[in-house]
Amino acid sequence: MTDNHQRRFGTSAEEDRISNLPENLIDSILEKLPIQDAIRTNILSKYWRYKWTTMTKLVLDKQFSDKFAKKGAFDPNGFIRITNQILNLHKGAILKLYLHIPDMILDSFQEVDQWILLLSRNGVRELILANSNQCYQLPSFVYSSLKLRKLQFQTACIFNPPLDLQGFLYLKALFFSNVIFGASLHGKLINLPELKYLKLMYCINVHHFNIQATNLETLIVITYPDATLPQLSHSQCLTYVLMYTLTSTQSVAQAERTKLVTYVRNLPNTLQFSISEKVPTWLPGVANRSRHWGFIDIKLDDLDQVQGALFMLRNLPNLERLSVLKGLPSVNLDEQPAISYLEASGCSIQTFNQLKIVEILLIEGSKPELLFIKLLLAHSPILEKMTIQLNGPADAHKSLNFAKEVMRFRRISANAEMLLLDP
């Protein structure tokens, strides 16, 4: 063979480099591919033919089901058949499964139950179930999966464990969305000794969910008007609490107010606490240890909300960091009362002696928002950094005018850094 031929063809080992990739690199490549593309790697080389069948992470998400639905392959039987083929051909443990059940009419969830049974027997550690179908009664196999580290149920599920459930000993993260907590939980304490992250969104009968989570660090509760906080026992490690309600907290029943006050008062280590809408007058006194406070979906052109915000700030003597995320613009709202209130407050509000970091995001640059910024700059003697981001598409002229206006404001802190982010 000539030198030319040798350079052109090389050895078989040089020629088939893709077959000689390290195992860990092949696994990493497969995990980053959609499942249908991972299966197609069968054709690359005989060494890749069954590599996908040993993947420890399977993602059969909405993107996966939508792609087949567009081709007309996903009637109920098609969805079941394809998922069965993938799981039956798979070898070894599946440590993580993301399963999306598409919007279609199933006679029953018998097949889904069998898939979860298979996973529970193979030591699944992360289970994410998204259901766009009818409400799904979670099978008992879920509660016997003692090796679970992360459990996430998105939409239309019923969480009704057996009476003898002792808890998930290794669970670190729990996320429930639109989950109905069954009556079997009522009065029962579930032990979650390793749980650090808990998020509940739009769940029903949350008061049934009584847990003991001694290492819980983050609690996020987004509720319907009639929902309540979970009954957490012995959660002294909490450092972040987010409470977002879809109704005015002022209208919460007196019994629930009492629960919330007691709950917040018993969190001595809580550093961050965020709340939406107008701050209730009965909350600040019990949250005065907080060092990081956030207002979410607040409208600074609304007199009620801006009064609530300043009332809260006056009652947080240890506040070091403030986050403000503005909500959608108010419709047909007269902003003059808020302007007058902020202008008057600029002369009377006390100093924020501990405030160091301020983030004000997604604002419109309105007069009330400018006055709120002006007030903070004028009353924060040790402020180190204020970050501001305008909402909407980038507008150089608007951003420049806004920046000129903000830079004119007096800063009581000589070290305050102003950072204006692009929209």
Side-chain angles (χ1 to χ4, degrees):
M1 187 179 285
T2 65
D3 289 344
N4 248 356
H5 285 125
Q6 287 177 345
R7 282 194 300 271
R8 182 176 176 183
F9 295 105
T11 66
S12 59
E14 293 171 338
E15 190 179 312
D16 190 11
R17 292 177 181 176
I18 197 169
S19 297
N20 294 295
L21 292 174
E23 291 287 337
N24 62 331
L25 182 55
I26 292 176
D27 293 339
S28 179
I29 292 171
L30 289 173
E31 286 179 3
K32 289 176 172 59
L33 292 175
I35 184 64
Q36 61 270 24
D37 293 333
I39 294 173
R40 289 193 186 106
T41 60
N42 270 335
I43 65 173
L44 292 177
S45 159
K46 66 180 181 180
Y47 296 101
W48 282 66
R49 189 160 298 163
Y50 298 108
K51 288 292 183 185
W52 76 268
T53 64
T54 60
M55 292 169 59
T56 58
K57 299 178 182 179
L58 292 182
V59 179
L60 310 179
D61 57 6
K62 191 174 186 300
Q63 182 182 1
F64 167 76
S65 59
D66 285 350
K67 187 166 186 176
F68 283 91
K70 288 177 182 177
K71 297 178 180 179
F74 256 13
D75 56 26
N77 291 331
F79 165 71
I80 293 168
R81 184 180 65 255
I82 292 171
T83 306
N84 273 332
Q85 287 176 349
I86 292 173
L87 294 179
N88 289 335
L89 288 172
H90 190 275
K91 302 173 183 177
I94 300 175
L95 301 182
K96 173 183 177 179
L97 176 67
Y98 187 135
L99 175 63
H100 172 253
I101 304 173
D103 186 10
M104 57 189 181
I105 300 175
L106 289 176
D107 294 333
S108 72
F109 285 91
Q110 182 178 352
E111 291 81 6
V112 181
D113 289 348
Q114 292 302 312
W115 300 333
I116 293 179
L117 175 60
L118 173 67
L119 293 169
S120 65
R121 288 176 174 173
N122 284 312
V124 63
R125 296 188 179 182
E126 186 171 340
L127 176 60
I128 303 173
L129 181 64
N131 177 30
S132 298
N133 217 292
Q134 56 184 306
C135 199
Y136 176 40
Q137 173 81 47
L138 295 169
S140 59
F141 322 126
V142 171
Y143 310 107
S144 62
S145 302
L146 299 180
K147 294 184 178 180
L148 276 170
R149 302 292 192 275
K150 179 178 180 180
L151 189 57
Q152 184 169 332
F153 295 134
Q154 301 175 6
T155 74
C157 291
I158 300 175
F159 190 84
N160 201 29
L163 294 175
D164 59 351
L165 175 68
Q166 297 302 312
F168 297 98
L169 299 181
Y170 304 106
L171 197 65
K172 295 182 180 296
L174 188 57
F175 173 29
F176 287 157
S177 175
N178 289 284
V179 169
I180 301 171
F181 293 103
S184 70
L185 285 165
H186 186 61
K188 180 177 178 56
L189 183 66
I190 297 179
N191 187 28
L192 301 171
E194 297 295 323
L195 191 70
K196 294 186 176 181
Y197 178 92
L198 174 61
K199 183 174 183 179
L200 304 173
M201 294 179 60
Y202 318 128
C203 295
I204 299 175
N205 295 334
V206 177
H207 58 282
H208 286 170
F209 192 51
N210 186 15
I211 66 174
Q212 179 171 290
T214 54
N215 289 301
L216 188 67
E217 297 174 357
T218 297
L219 172 65
I220 300 174
V221 183
I222 301 176
T223 68
Y224 285 123
D226 60 346
T228 60
L229 283 168
Q231 300 179 47
L232 287 164
S233 301
H234 306 99
S235 301
Q236 301 299 304
C237 294
L238 270 171
T239 55
Y240 180 78
V241 179
L242 167 61
M243 183 183 70
Y244 189 104
T245 61
L246 302 183
T247 189
S248 172
T249 315
Q250 295 284 10
S251 64
V252 174
Q254 182 60 44
E256 293 306 323
R257 292 189 191 187
T258 303
K259 286 181 183 178
L260 180 59
V261 168
T262 304
Y263 178 77
V264 177
R265 184 179 286 131
N266 289 332
L267 299 176
N269 298 321
T270 299
L271 305 180
Q272 308 173 50
F273 196 96
S274 302
I275 192 169
S276 66
E277 38 86 7
K278 181 179 177 180
V279 177
T281 56
W282 42 269
L283 180 59
V286 297
N288 57 19
R289 288 182 294 268
S290 295
R291 299 209 297 267
H292 181 178
W293 190 271
F295 295 109
I296 297 176
D297 196 25
I298 190 172
K299 299 176 176 61
L300 294 173
D301 54 353
D302 184 318
L303 177 60
D304 284 342
Q305 294 200 30
V306 78
Q307 281 180 329
L310 292 184
F311 178 80
M312 186 76 240
L313 296 179
R314 291 188 186 104
N315 288 274
L316 292 173
N318 298 311
L319 185 66
E320 296 179 3
R321 180 168 183 160
L322 173 65
S323 301
V324 177
L325 181 63
K326 185 183 176 295
L328 296 173
S330 303
V331 180
N332 299 325
L333 180 68
D334 182 8
E335 63 181 28
Q336 188 55 48
I339 293 173
S340 300
Y341 179 79
L342 284 165
E343 287 176 335
S345 297
C347 303
S348 60
I349 196 168
Q350 83 280 8
T351 302
F352 305 120
N353 289 314
Q354 304 298 323
L355 189 58
K356 298 177 182 178
I357 305 293
V358 175
E359 299 168 320
I360 304 177
L361 307 179
L362 303 182
I363 61 175
E364 304 295 327
S366 66
K367 180 71 171 177
E369 292 165 347
L370 284 166
L371 288 172
F372 185 77
I373 293 169
K374 181 179 181 180
L375 185 148
L376 292 176
L377 289 172
H379 294 84
S380 306
I382 64 170
L383 185 68
E384 297 175 359
K385 185 176 182 179
M386 178 179 282
T387 302
I388 304 171
Q389 183 182 42
L390 291 172
N391 192 17
D395 184 330
H397 182 68
K398 176 182 176 181
S399 297
L400 179 60
N401 288 338
F402 179 81
K404 286 180 179 178
E405 188 74 18
V406 170
M407 293 305 168
R408 290 177 53 245
F409 295 155
R410 174 176 171 267
R411 305 179 212 174
I412 192 174
S413 171
N415 299 318
E417 175 189 0
M418 300 292 293
L419 182 61
L420 182 61
L421 302 179
D422 289 334

